[in-house]
Amino acid sequence: MAAPSSSPQTLIESFARAGQGQVFAFWERLAPDARARLIAEAAEIDLAEIARLNATLLTSGSSAAADLTGLAPAPFEPRPENGGDPAAWAAARAAGEAALRAGRVAAFTVAGGQGTRLGYDGPKGTFSVTPVRGKSLFQVFAEKILAAGRRFGPVPRWFIMTSHANHEATEKFFATHQCFGLDPARVHFFRQGRMPAVGLDGKILLEAPAAMALSPDGHGGSLRALDRSGALDLMAEDGADTLSYFQVDNPLVRCLDAEFIGWHLLRGSEMSSKMVAKSGPEEKVGHFCTLNGQTVVIEYSEPAMQTKSAEREPSGALRYRAGSIALHMLDREFVRRMARDGTGLPFHRADKKIPCLDAAGKLVKPEKPNGVKFEQFVFDALPFAKNPVVIETPRADDFSPVKNADGSDSPATCRADQLRQFARWLHATGVTIPTDATGLPPFPIEISPLFATDEATFVESWRTLSPKPKIEPGLCLG
Ligand code: UTP
C-alpha cells in the first residue's frame, strides 16, 4: 500500500511503473474533488500484491485444479448421540460456560457480502426472517447475545464486519432500533477491505472516470479487518481471547455455544469449526479434510472433489461427510498473527462480469466474464492454526441460511426450519402441537431468543410459565 503521505504525483507515477497507469486515464478531465476521491482509492491499493496475484492467479487460469494427492476426510468429534464421549461433551460445556462467565468470548458477524443471490436491497442483516414478528437477522443475533449475557454475566462484545457499500446503512439500522437492547458501546462496526477487479490482462478496471471497480475482499478479509479496526486490542483490554465467528445469513446459529467454546479452549485450539453431516454428495458446502497433515476445507467446486464427494464407507455413509457451515472459534492472537503475515491467507480468483469503462471512457456492461475479482476465504486459515478441532453439530440447531430468493436456502426454507425448531422445543416439554411428517407445524409461532436459545433453556423457561399459553396460530414467547 502506498504511504498515506504520498503526493498524488508520486502515487500516479507508482501506478504507471506498475503497468497500471490506465487508472489515471481520465485524470486531466477530473474536477478537484473527483481527483481527491480517486487518489484516496489509489492509496488503498497494494500494487505489489496485485502484481503477485496477476502473476500467480491470472496465469494459472480460472479452473486450475489444486494438487490433492493424499487427501483424506478430517477427523471430527461426533455428538454423544452419534457415538461421541458424553463426558468430553459435558466437560466442554462446563469450560465454555466458565469462559462466558469470565467474559472471554466476543461475538463476530461477517456482514460485508454483497448478497446478490438474495437480491434484497439493503444490508442482508436487516432482512426480516422470523415467522410471526418478522424480526431481522440482526435482531435475532442481538437477542441471542443479550440472552447469553443474562445467563452468564457480562454481555459479550459484538463485532460486525460491514462493507463500504453497506456500512452506513447497517449503523443506521442499529441506531434506529436502539441496538436491540444491547449497550451501543459494546457493539462495534468496521468496514472490511476492498480489492480492485482486474481485466483478463491484469489491468485494474475503472467503473467511472474517478473510481476503480472495487469489491469486498472476501470473508477471509475479516482477519485483517479485525486487526486494523482495533477490535483485537479492545478484546485484549477486556481480557477476551476468543471470537465466535458466524455469517449474517443464518438465524439458527447458536452465536455463543458453550460446548463449541469449550472444545476450542480445552484443546488449546487456535481455530475450531463445526461440521454437519452432508445431506448428500451434491450438497454445496465445503468439506473438512486433511492434506499433508493439516486440516483444510476443500470446496465442493474443486474438480477433484466431484468424484470424491460421492465416495462411501462400507456402512454406506459418505466418506467426505463433514460439511463446513462457516462456524468457527478463533483465538484472538491467532487472528492477529494471520492478519499481519503477508503470506498467510491466499487469494482466490472469481471470474465475473464486471461493468467497466473502455478506453474511450464509455461504460460497458459485459455479456460474459471480462475480469477477475480476488477474495480471501476465512477457512483457509485452518491449516495455519495449532490444534484445530472440528466438532459435529445438529444441522437443525445451527444451520439454515438465507442465500437465495427461492428454492433451497431461501427465506421460505429458513422460516420452516425455525418453525420446526420451535415445535421440537414445545414437544420436549410434553406439549402437543400438530406437525407434518417433517416436524413442520401448520401455523406460525415464534420463540424469542430472550425466552430460550436451545431446547434445554426452553424447557427451563417453559416450566416457570404460569398460566401456560394456548398453542395457537401466532403464539409468541418472549
Ligand atoms: P456468501 O458467500 O453467501 O456471499 O457470504 P454474499 O456476498 O453474502 O452473497 P452472494 O454470493 O452475493 O449471494 C457468506 C458470508 O460471508 C460474508 C457475507 O456477508 C456472509 O455473511 N462475506 C462475504 C463478507 O463479510 N465479506 C465478503 O467479502 C464476502
Side-chain angles (χ1 to χ4, degrees):
M1 205 170 301
S5 56
S6 296
S7 72
Q9 205 43 47
T10 320
L11 210 49
I12 293 169
E13 281 163 17
S14 64
F15 271 68
R17 271 198 309 278
Q20 300 288 4
Q22 78 289 347
V23 166
F24 296 96
F26 306 105
W27 182 255
E28 291 310 325
R29 58 160 119 137
L30 295 181
D33 58 336
R35 284 186 173 186
R37 277 201 307 277
L38 184 58
I39 286 295
E41 279 190 3
E44 266 184 49
I45 307 301
D46 183 338
L47 287 167
E49 185 167 70
I50 300 298
R52 188 167 48 78
L53 295 177
N54 280 343
T56 49
L57 294 178
L58 272 198
T59 49
S60 63
S62 58
S63 57
D67 178 7
L68 298 183
T69 316
L71 192 76
F76 61 86
E77 297 299 334
R79 302 231 5 118
E81 58 272 25
N82 292 331
D85 174 8
W89 282 84
R93 170 178 286 274
E97 290 183 353
L100 285 166
R101 268 189 213 100
R104 289 178 62 183
V105 190
F108 177 38
T109 309
V110 285
Q114 293 173 306
T116 37
R117 282 170 288 171
L118 183 61
Y120 165 69
D121 187 21
K124 211 190 224 185
T126 67
F127 188 73
S128 148
V129 279
T130 67
V132 179
R133 295 203 166 129
K135 287 177 189 168
S136 63
L137 285 155
F138 279 137
Q139 181 168 0
V140 173
F141 304 139
E143 291 185 1
K144 289 186 180 191
I145 293 166
L146 208 49
R150 289 188 183 163
R151 192 167 178 84
F152 297 110
V155 180
R157 281 192 195 275
W158 186 13
F159 296 103
I160 299 171
M161 184 176 81
T162 62
S163 65
H164 283 71
N166 70 21
H167 186 83
E168 276 90 15
T170 303
E171 281 195 325
K172 192 161 167 231
F173 186 72
F174 275 78
T176 308
H177 295 278
Q178 287 82 40
C179 262
F180 304 104
L182 290 166
D183 175 359
R186 292 180 68 81
V187 181
H188 312 273
F189 306 90
F190 55 86
R191 291 178 182 81
Q192 70 177 104
R194 299 188 284 188
M195 288 292 282
V198 299
L200 298 172
D201 56 359
K203 302 280 184 197
I204 294 173
L205 299 174
L206 288 177
E207 65 178 24
M212 284 178 256
L214 297 173
S215 54
D217 57 1
H219 41 65
S222 61
L223 305 184
R224 302 209 262 201
L226 278 165
D227 184 32
R228 205 176 39 230
S229 65
L232 302 178
D233 295 332
L234 263 182
M235 285 177 70
E237 278 167 30
D238 271 4
D241 56 9
T242 304
L243 274 158
S244 178
Y245 170 109
F246 54 94
Q247 301 192 151
V248 74
D249 51 26
N250 177 20
L252 240 52
V253 65
R254 286 176 289 166
C255 309
L256 295 151
D257 175 4
E259 288 174 334
F260 190 22
I261 296 165
W263 275 108
H264 171 80
L265 293 175
L266 291 178
R267 284 284 174 87
S269 164
E270 289 187 318
M271 178 168 180
S272 308
S273 310
K274 279 185 176 173
M275 62 71 84
V276 294
K278 280 187 63 176
S279 57
E282 312 296 328
E283 192 184 6
K284 292 183 173 170
V285 291
H287 305 79
F288 287 107
C289 300
T290 51
L291 186 63
N292 305 321
Q294 291 170 322
T295 304
V296 294
V297 170
I298 306 291
E299 287 199 275
Y300 60 86
S301 52
E302 187 61 50
M305 220 51 227
Q306 313 284 305
T307 46
K308 285 194 182 300
S309 61
E311 287 177 15
R312 296 202 179 256
E313 292 178 348
S315 67
L318 287 175
R319 194 162 164 250
Y320 290 90
R321 63 180 170 283
S324 172
I325 51 171
L327 296 181
H328 305 285
M329 282 299 152
L330 293 161
D331 174 71
R332 185 191 71 220
E333 291 312 307
F334 172 63
V335 173
R336 206 190 297 271
R337 197 170 84 228
M338 289 303 297
R340 295 187 181 182
D341 176 358
T343 59
L345 282 195
F347 277 91
H348 297 256
R349 77 177 266 179
D351 293 27
K352 302 268 181 186
K353 292 183 238 171
I354 303 163
C356 61
L357 300 188
D358 64 13
K362 194 167 143 275
L363 187 66
V364 180
K365 293 201 172 151
E367 305 269 298
K368 55 183 182 53
N370 61 325
V372 170
K373 290 186 178 181
F374 298 115
E375 283 192 336
Q376 290 181 320
F377 299 154
V378 75
F379 53 72
D380 280 331
L382 266 177
F384 297 90
K386 292 193 193 105
N387 309 323
V389 53
V390 179
I391 67 163
E392 185 185 17
T393 190
R395 178 188 294 263
D397 285 331
D398 247 332
F399 189 57
S400 185
V402 178
K403 296 272 187 204
N404 307 307
D406 315 290
S408 63
D409 296 340
S410 64
T413 56
C414 180
R415 178 178 185 276
D417 286 338
Q418 292 174 68
L419 288 173
R420 287 189 189 96
Q421 184 181 60
F422 300 151
R424 270 198 317 278
W425 292 356
L426 279 161
H427 281 206
T429 66
V431 165
T432 314
I433 169 165
T435 61
D436 68 10
T438 71
L440 182 66
F443 50 77
I445 53 174
E446 185 166 328
I447 299 167
S448 161
L450 295 173
F451 187 81
T453 49
D454 55 22
E455 187 175 299
T457 50
F458 183 79
V459 172
E460 255 173 52
S461 297
W462 180 262
R463 219 177 269 136
T464 63
L465 276 187
S466 177
K468 303 286 188 237
K470 193 158 165 251
I471 307 300
E472 59 187 359
L475 167 72
C476 282
L477 291 170

